[in-house]
Amino acid sequence: MVNVTPNVTVEKEDVEYNYLALVFGITLILIIILGNVLVCLSVLTERSLKTATNYFIVSLAVADLLLAVLVLPLYVYSEFLGGVWTLNTYICDALMTMDVMLCTASILNLCAISVDRYIAVVVPLKYNRNQFSMRQLILITATWVLSFGVASPVIFGLNQVPNRDEHVCKLEDDNFVVYSSVCSFFVPCPVMLLLYYWMFRGLKKWSANRKSNLMRGERRFSLSLKGLRRERREKVKYLMPGLSPTAANQSTLQENELITTQLDSTSDAEAQERPKEGSLKENGLRNNGSGKGFQSKSHRVSGRERKAMKVLPIVVGVFLACWTPFFVVHVTKVLCVSCDIGPTLISIVTWLGYVNSAVNPIIYTAFNTEFRNVFQKLLCCQT
């Protein structure tokens, strides 16, 4: 939502060119385009990245790409001219509409991701991470429809007010500034944060249950091992009753050593097999019995979601850090008439909001090994 220029009429001969804004703006546009194109190509070309969550990330990347292509060039052009708008008002209204819509789409996509993560963590048996379901399609579609709904009043004439300054491109209706800020930021953000809070509680509970199950399993294994040794000892005594106590003890010790060796080798083999079985289970290729299927699926989903939860809260946190100043400043400017909020501060918080579109691909590269490897392959033109 661009609202960055002072509400004064400026003659063309008074324009002061801002070369810093031009250089920074062009650099930012190129970084946003490159990073988000890599995100989209990574998900579309790499089989391991074609998961339900990553399709939401693609939707978020598309919003950032459209912002870089449709909004930022005009915004950078206006900033280069010192905040003066030299194009006609219809282009300004289209710019305002796209800006509001794409900003709203970004945060609603993050909100949709949090809903998807909540379902994956809290009710994992109703979630299939390897298949793009109708629920995810509805969430993504609703995100874009609601975003257009929030921004549509501008393109339908809300900005066409009497005595409008044609040299300034901004949202003319103060009530709409508050309304769009509430719909785009102040309502979705608490919902998103609450969902993540409940998710972390669910993961904490899952970790506690998993720890107790592992301890119970170790105790059962220890008891079964003792029972097996006792059974072997009784068999030795029954089959060779004439052995002297010393010989019986020696054969028992040998038998015990043999059993222990076999059990140790078996456990080692099982330990080696577990990663293979885990990978097969993660791909949905093994499901032996309803109980095992239930257990493997719950463990599979929980393990995956814990990895995803390391990246997504960082994305959300950076988004809030970049966009919170923007919305707070703009709402304060509308509601507090006596507050002295100059165009410089508004320009700074607006640039900070746009920087967020370039940061997300960097976060994926830094914190997600799969994205990082695919980025490297794409940049090096490897197959």
Side-chain angles (χ1 to χ4, degrees), residues 196-215:
Y196 275 111
Y197 170 72
W198 289 332
M199 272 185 274
F200 280 114
R201 284 188 60 186
L203 285 174
K204 189 176 180 181
K205 184 178 178 182
W206 177 86
S207 296
N209 291 337
R210 183 173 177 269
K211 206 172 283 185
S212 63
N213 288 336
L214 284 173
M215 291 178 66

Side-chain angles (χ1 to χ4, degrees), residues 71 85 97 111 135-136 159 214 283 288 306 320 328 357:
V71 174
W85 185 256
T97 303
C111 202
R135 180 182 62 247
Q136 279 119 10
N159 249 19
L214 284 173
N283 291 323
N288 299 327
R306 280 187 300 165
L320 294 177
V328 170
S357 297

Side-chain angles (χ1 to χ4, degrees), residues 108-256:
L108 290 184
N109 270 304
L110 287 172
C111 202
I113 289 173
S114 67
V115 173
D116 182 70
R117 298 294 82 219
Y118 178 80
I119 295 171
V121 170
V122 178
V123 280
L125 295 181
K126 295 183 179 180
Y127 183 84
N128 186 352
R129 70 178 302 275
N130 293 321
Q131 186 176 357
F132 188 69
S133 67
M134 183 59 67
R135 180 182 62 247
Q136 279 119 10
L137 179 61
I138 291 172
L139 275 173
I140 292 176
T141 304
T143 292
W144 287 95
V145 171
L146 287 173
S147 301
F148 178 74
V150 171
S152 59
V154 180
I155 200 65
F156 291 140
L158 185 70
N159 249 19
Q160 298 295 334
V161 297
N163 303 319
R164 178 179 178 179
D165 188 355
E166 295 182 356
H167 293 293
V168 177
C169 183
K170 65 185 184 69
L171 294 172
E172 300 290 341
D173 192 309
D174 289 343
N175 293 326
F176 180 78
V177 173
V178 176
Y179 155 78
S180 60
S181 298
V182 169
C183 294
S184 303
F185 188 80
F186 291 110
V187 169
C189 278
V191 172
M192 185 166 51
L193 293 175
L194 278 174
L195 287 172
Y196 275 111
Y197 170 72
W198 289 332
M199 272 185 274
F200 280 114
R201 284 188 60 186
L203 285 174
K204 189 176 180 181
K205 184 178 178 182
W206 177 86
S207 296
N209 291 337
R210 183 173 177 269
K211 206 172 283 185
S212 63
N213 288 336
L214 284 173
M215 291 178 66
R216 282 198 299 268
E218 288 176 0
R219 283 197 297 266
R220 283 198 298 267
F221 178 75
S222 178
L223 291 173
S224 62
L225 183 60
K226 289 179 181 177
L228 183 58
R229 287 174 175 172
R230 191 181 304 112
E231 183 182 348
R232 293 285 186 179
R233 196 180 299 118
E234 293 297 328
K235 284 183 178 180
V236 169
K237 290 180 180 179
Y238 175 77
L239 293 174
M240 293 176 287
L243 286 177
S244 64
T246 306
N249 288 337
Q250 288 177 353
S251 55
T252 302
L253 287 172
Q254 291 174 357
E255 188 71 22
N256 286 341

